[in-house]
Amino acid sequence: MGKSTGFMEFRRELPPEINPLDRIHHWREFQSKASEELLREQGARCMDCGIPFCHTGQIINGMAAGCPVNNLIPEWNDLVYRGLWRQALDRLHQTNNFPEFTGRVCPAPCEGSCTVGLHDPPVTIKNIEKTIVDKGFAEGWIVPEPPAVRTGKKVAVVGSGPSGLACAAQLNKAGHSVTVYERADRIGGLLMYGIPNMKLDKKTVERRIDLLRQEGIVFVTGTEIGKDIPASRLIEQFDAVVLCGGATKGRDLPIEGRELKGIHLAMEFLHKNTKSLLDSEHADGQYVSAEGKDIIVIGGGDTGTDCVGTSLRHGCRSVTQFEIMAKPPETRADNNPWPQFPRVYKLDYGQEEAKALYGNDPRQYLISTKRFVGDEDGNVKELHTVGMEWKTDAKGRYGPVEVPGTEQVWPAQLVMLAMGFLGPESTMLDQLGVEKDERSNAKAEYGRYETNVKGVFAAGDMRRGQSLVVWAINEGREAARECDRYLMGETLLP
Ligand SMILES: Cc1cc2nc3c(=O)[nH]c(=O)nc-3n(C[C@H](O)[C@H](O)[C@H](O)COP(=O)(O)OP(=O)(O)OC[C@H]3O[C@@H](n4cnc5c(N)ncnc54)[C@H](O)[C@@H]3O)c2cc1C
Ligand code: SF4
């Protein structure tokens, strides 16, 4: 522990974000750089408490409490306080292959279970993580490290999101020859085409992929397993296969008027936007534009927030976000104590930008869409909604119920459906004969990852359902360990 009185001397402080009214005019990241002085003070706030819950990664009450990749947080907080950045970077890479991704996009369950958080705002763990790795790249400390010896074993990884990349990185480190298949034209999964550029700059994603390539991993893009290559061919040509195809089936809203023009699944909107941005800075026009339109985003989660931020950057006229749940409390509820993930009201970046521009948080809580209504050309023009309340019915079931007399009509020329995901697509799994669980995910036990098909493993959202980048990295790393054990009879991978 660097400074035993640090948590009493220094207040929690994050580097200022770019002003919301400025940043909505560009696609660059909204986070700014912290000074080393600030970071040392923030690192000094870590109490090095006896039992650091921040790195446990336990599931409590259905949510992660502590870091799912078990980052050695108190250790690198201390190293940062003492100015030993290179050692801090080495500690960070011991548990996390891609801290530059989690340091930008993770919801930081570690901070929700930080012991300082019991009486004061928690240590700025996520920002410290980001700064350590950004400094590592700036100083040139992060270089390709190909394995000294190759085992002669070949592994195919399907899907290049964070789970596929972490899995490939670990298997390559163990000396196996890894080929990653990706159906999109760029590598990265939702790091590339889900999370928008202002939250995670795509150059940051490409920088890591270049390193992995130089370490010997082969990436094949534009190739869908199960369509362009029969899944069975992977079994014939490789010693093992790891399925990291994500949970890409978006939840639709099959109500009256769904067929109208201008209603899109959120992922279509976000994917096309980033592709067009990267291909031509939007000059090709190959994206769904929100410019000059009233936008309604149905769904209050991360995906919905990204649709809000993207619409604002297009120059929409207004943006409203519907949420069926009630507004969360300002502070922890009695049934959500520390060290659980805090379910509290938060203004995420997209809502912060909308508030700065229009004066209020764009979210409308406890609302459900009954039908879409179109104009004479078949374009959506309005949404009809009803207010909801959550209560227990006569049979003891808790759920949302319509409140009579709360019907409303909302003008909208563009609607995004961001209501979550239903699980993985089934073509590849069916071709391989991989069993699915009751939620239609690839069935494989957490910690073991092997499916019912010998030599075929599954990890990330494809196995656990739509989740978080940090869980995908955790599963990719662990699936690599189990795959290595399967190939070699033993393993040294963590
Ligand atoms: C819009 C959006 C924003 C998000 N924001 C955040 C955030 O801020 N923070 C956070 O922690 N999490 C966020 N998430 C969740 C997070 O991105 C995912 O949990 C994570 O990316 C899952 O990683 P994965 O590797 O399992 O799958 P994915 O990232 O989904 O990657 C799977 C890849 O497999 C490819 N693929 C699928 N089938 C095949 C096939 N048959 N052949 C070849 N390729 C195939 C897909 O094209 C895709 O590229 C967000 C999700 C979305 C949708
Ligand atoms: S990966 Fe997420 S949970 Fe882990 S230390 Fe970083 S921000 Fe915290």
Side-chain angles (χ1 to χ4, degrees), residues 104-107 158-165 181-184 186-191 193-196 199 223-227 244-248 266-267 270 302-304 306 421 425 428 459-463 465-473:
R104 285 168 168 77
V105 309
C106 188
V158 185
S160 68
S163 63
L165 292 178
Y181 291 97
E182 170 56 58
R183 72 171 160 212
R186 287 183 171 88
I187 295 294
L190 291 173
L191 297 170
Y193 280 138
I195 302 171
K199 194 164 178 189
T223 304
E224 180 167 344
I225 302 303
K227 191 171 143 212
C244 299
T248 42
M267 274 312 298
L270 294 171
D302 273 347
T303 308
D306 292 335
F421 295 82
E425 294 158 46
M428 174 174 68
D461 283 4
M462 184 154 245
R463 193 204 69 80
Q466 182 71 219
S467 181
L468 295 174
V469 169
V470 64
W471 278 117
I473 296 174

Side-chain angles (χ1 to χ4, degrees), residues 75-93:
E75 294 188 24
W76 38 259
N77 279 338
D78 176 49
L79 291 165
V80 165
Y81 169 68
R82 292 196 278 141
L84 300 172
W85 290 90
R86 184 131 200 194
Q87 285 90 329
L89 179 69
D90 291 343
R91 284 290 197 295
L92 187 49
H93 271 148

Side-chain angles (χ1 to χ4, degrees), residues 121-440:
V123 175
T124 56
I125 300 169
K126 173 178 167 182
N127 189 247
I128 295 176
E129 177 178 36
K130 170 179 180 287
T131 312
I132 295 171
V133 63
D134 284 356
K135 186 170 170 68
F137 275 110
E139 296 284 344
W141 295 334
I142 304 174
V143 292
E145 293 175 15
V149 185
R150 289 282 172 194
T151 60
K153 303 282 185 193
K154 292 194 298 174
V155 184
V157 173
V158 185
S160 68
S163 63
L165 292 178
C167 184
Q170 293 295 96
L171 286 168
N172 186 59
K173 206 176 270 182
H176 307 307
S177 299
V178 184
T179 305
V180 178
Y181 291 97
E182 170 56 58
R183 72 171 160 212
D185 61 337
R186 287 183 171 88
I187 295 294
L190 291 173
L191 297 170
M192 177 59 68
Y193 280 138
I195 302 171
N197 203 71
M198 56 276 191
K199 194 164 178 189
L200 174 61
D201 193 311
K202 302 313 155 199
K203 289 197 208 73
T204 303
V205 181
E206 276 160 3
R207 179 178 62 186
R208 184 60 79 167
I209 291 159
D210 280 348
L211 277 169
L212 296 176
R213 201 175 271 123
Q214 288 173 56
E215 287 175 347
I217 296 172
V218 175
F219 290 102
V220 182
T221 52
T223 304
E224 180 167 344
I225 302 303
K227 191 171 143 212
D228 303 312
I229 298 180
S232 56
R233 201 179 298 161
L234 296 187
I235 306 220
E236 291 154 25
Q237 294 183 347
F238 291 87
D239 298 297
V241 178
V242 190
L243 307 176
C244 299
T248 42
K249 256 193 336 216
R251 188 188 297 275
D252 212 321
L253 187 59
I255 56 173
E256 186 185 330
R258 171 63 183 91
E259 72 292 347
L260 292 165
K261 284 179 267 180
I263 304 171
H264 301 267
L265 286 175
M267 274 312 298
E268 185 195 348
F269 178 65
L270 294 171
H271 184 124
K272 284 186 175 165
N273 180 68
T274 300
K275 180 160 165 52
S276 174
L277 177 71
L278 297 178
D279 285 353
S280 67
E281 299 199 345
H282 287 144
D284 61 10
Q286 296 298 308
Y287 64 103
V288 179
S289 175
E291 189 178 358
K293 296 179 183 155
D294 300 303
I295 309 301
I296 291 192
V297 179
I298 303 182
D302 273 347
T303 308
T305 301
D306 292 335
C307 292
V308 170
T310 301
S311 300
L312 290 169
R313 280 162 181 73
H314 286 177
C316 62
R317 183 163 53 206
S318 72
V319 59
T320 308
Q321 192 177 5
F322 288 170
E323 168 63 67
I324 198 166
M325 305 298 291
K327 186 178 175 185
E330 295 288 335
T331 54
R332 287 178 184 273
D334 289 346
N335 64 358
N336 177 218
W338 180 94
Q340 292 184 10
F341 188 85
R343 297 171 201 260
V344 293
Y345 175 77
K346 202 175 117 224
L347 206 58
D348 207 339
Y349 79 98
Q351 291 101 31
E352 190 188 7
E353 292 164 357
K355 189 173 178 182
L357 191 62
Y358 304 118
N360 46 9
D361 184 334
R363 282 170 291 189
Q364 295 286 327
Y365 294 94
L366 293 170
I367 191 164
S368 173
T369 307
K370 298 288 288 177
R371 63 178 197 278
F372 302 107
V373 175
D375 62 17
E376 56 281 6
D377 297 323
N379 300 305
V380 65
K381 71 167 187 181
E382 57 197 31
L383 276 74
H384 291 228
T385 65
V386 63
M388 308 296 286
E389 64 181 321
W390 286 74
K391 52 183 190 184
T392 308
D393 68 12
K395 291 188 179 147
R397 287 174 307 207
Y398 185 68
V401 182
E402 291 182 12
V403 181
T406 55
E407 292 77 10
Q408 271 181 284
V409 178
W410 305 76
Q413 300 82 49
L414 187 60
V415 178
M416 259 72 81
L417 306 178
M419 300 170 302
F421 295 82
L422 294 171
E425 294 158 46
S426 58
T427 312
M428 174 174 68
L429 298 176
D430 290 345
Q431 281 189 12
L432 288 167
V434 168
E435 271 179 33
K436 290 173 223 147
D437 65 18
E438 62 288 349
R439 294 187 303 146
S440 81

Side-chain angles (χ1 to χ4, degrees), residues 474-486:
N474 161 265
E475 293 216 355
R477 287 170 65 86
E478 292 191 354
R481 178 194 66 208
E482 295 311 310
C483 182
D484 185 40
R485 198 194 309 278
Y486 165 80

